[in-house]
């Protein structure tokens, strides 16, 4: 999985006044949970651009100004309701030997037979919730739709992997090929007859 490094400075005062002053200076107050102690820090808002405004999933290395670095994942983010500026970010510290839960993007590969005959590919899920060790989690989960005809569905069991476990029920549909007005009736081949 890809990793981003964010240079940050640890903060001592965590009250309303100091937080407001930080935001006015273009800094984002953040916190890391899950370790031995809770770590409060700040970083410039521009440092989170490649983490927040992307469909990809990343682990984060927070490099603090005191020389320590912490591996983490993004847990929660709060935006201003009017300006959409980042108000606060929560991170969870990750360890190599502890399983974590993340939502991994889902992408299709191949050309569906049903879509080539005029059907429409509809997505039910764009992200799949998985649990596994950080080293075993992929950047993206791919599903092959080559054999899908009109009316067929791709389930989460079709993209299952031994490296991680999928936290959706087995009958969860990832995508399906639906009929459309300009769909052509599929010609039967000699094998189907």
């Amino acid at each position: 999985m890809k990793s981003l490094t964010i240079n940050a400075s640890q903060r001592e005062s965590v009250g309303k006044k100091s937080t407001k002053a930080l935001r006015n200076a273009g800094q984002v107050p953040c916190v890391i949970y899950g370790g031995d102690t809770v770590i409060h820090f700040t970083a410039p808002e521009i440092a989170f651009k490649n983490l927040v405004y992307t469909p990809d999933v990343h682990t984060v290395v927070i490099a603090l100004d005191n020389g320590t670095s912490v591996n983490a994942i993004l847990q929660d983010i709060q935006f201003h309701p009017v300006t959409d500026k980042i108000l606060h970010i929560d991170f969870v510290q990750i360890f190599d030997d502890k399983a974590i839960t993340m939502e991994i993007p889902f992408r299709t590969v191949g050309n569906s037979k049903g879509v080539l005959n005029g059907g429409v590919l509809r997505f039910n899920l764009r992200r799949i919730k998985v649990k596994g060790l950080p080293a075993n989690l992929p950047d993206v989960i791919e599903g092959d739709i080559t054999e899908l005809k009109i009316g067929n569905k791709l389930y989460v069991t079709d993209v299952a992997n031994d490296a991680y476990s999928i936290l959706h029920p087995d009958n969860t549909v990832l995508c399906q090929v639906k009929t459309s007005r300009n769909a052509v009736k599929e010609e039967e081949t000699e094998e189907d007859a």
Side-chain angles (χ1 to χ4, degrees), residues 17 30 49 63 126 138-139:
K17 283 186 177 181
C30 304
K49 177 183 73 167
R126 295 280 183 174
D139 290 328

Side-chain angles (χ1 to χ4, degrees), residues 33-192:
Y33 299 107
D36 297 332
T37 60
V38 176
I39 302 170
H40 297 276
F41 67 94
T42 61
E45 187 174 7
I46 194 75
F48 300 106
K49 177 183 73 167
N50 293 334
L51 177 68
V52 176
Y53 304 108
T54 178
D56 300 329
V57 178
H58 301 286
T59 58
V60 183
V61 177
I62 311 270
L64 297 171
D65 55 357
N66 62 6
T68 61
S69 62
V70 179
N71 292 331
I73 57 170
L74 181 72
Q75 177 71 26
D76 189 28
I77 187 165
Q78 295 171 355
F79 294 98
H80 190 278
V82 176
T83 63
D84 272 348
K85 289 183 70 154
I86 300 172
L87 293 178
H88 189 269
I89 300 179
D90 290 346
F91 291 94
V92 174
Q93 188 171 354
I94 59 174
F95 301 96
D96 292 336
D97 57 344
K98 286 187 181 177
I100 58 171
T101 301
M102 288 188 81
E103 287 191 349
I104 307 292
F106 168 67
R107 187 179 307 145
T108 59
V109 293
N111 292 323
S112 168
K113 292 178 181 179
V115 173
L116 294 175
N117 286 333
V120 179
L121 182 68
R122 301 280 166 113
F123 284 90
N124 291 17
L125 283 180
R126 295 280 183 174
R127 290 177 171 261
I128 301 172
K129 197 172 199 176
V130 299
K131 183 174 185 175
L133 295 175
N136 295 343
L137 295 181
D139 290 328
V140 66
I141 296 175
E142 294 182 339
D144 187 15
I145 60 169
T146 307
E147 297 300 319
L148 292 184
K149 296 179 181 175
I150 293 177
N152 291 14
K153 300 174 182 176
L154 185 74
Y155 295 95
V156 292
T157 53
D158 298 328
V159 296
N161 194 321
D162 294 336
Y164 50 83
S165 59
I166 297 177
L167 301 179
H168 294 282
D170 289 346
N171 62 352
T172 302
V173 176
L174 293 173
C175 62
Q176 57 188 339
V177 179
K178 293 235 175 181
T179 187
S180 67
R181 290 184 191 172
N182 57 354
V184 178
K185 184 178 179 184
E186 295 184 31
E187 297 177 13
E188 290 186 5
T189 61
E190 293 178 14
E191 298 168 3
D192 293 340

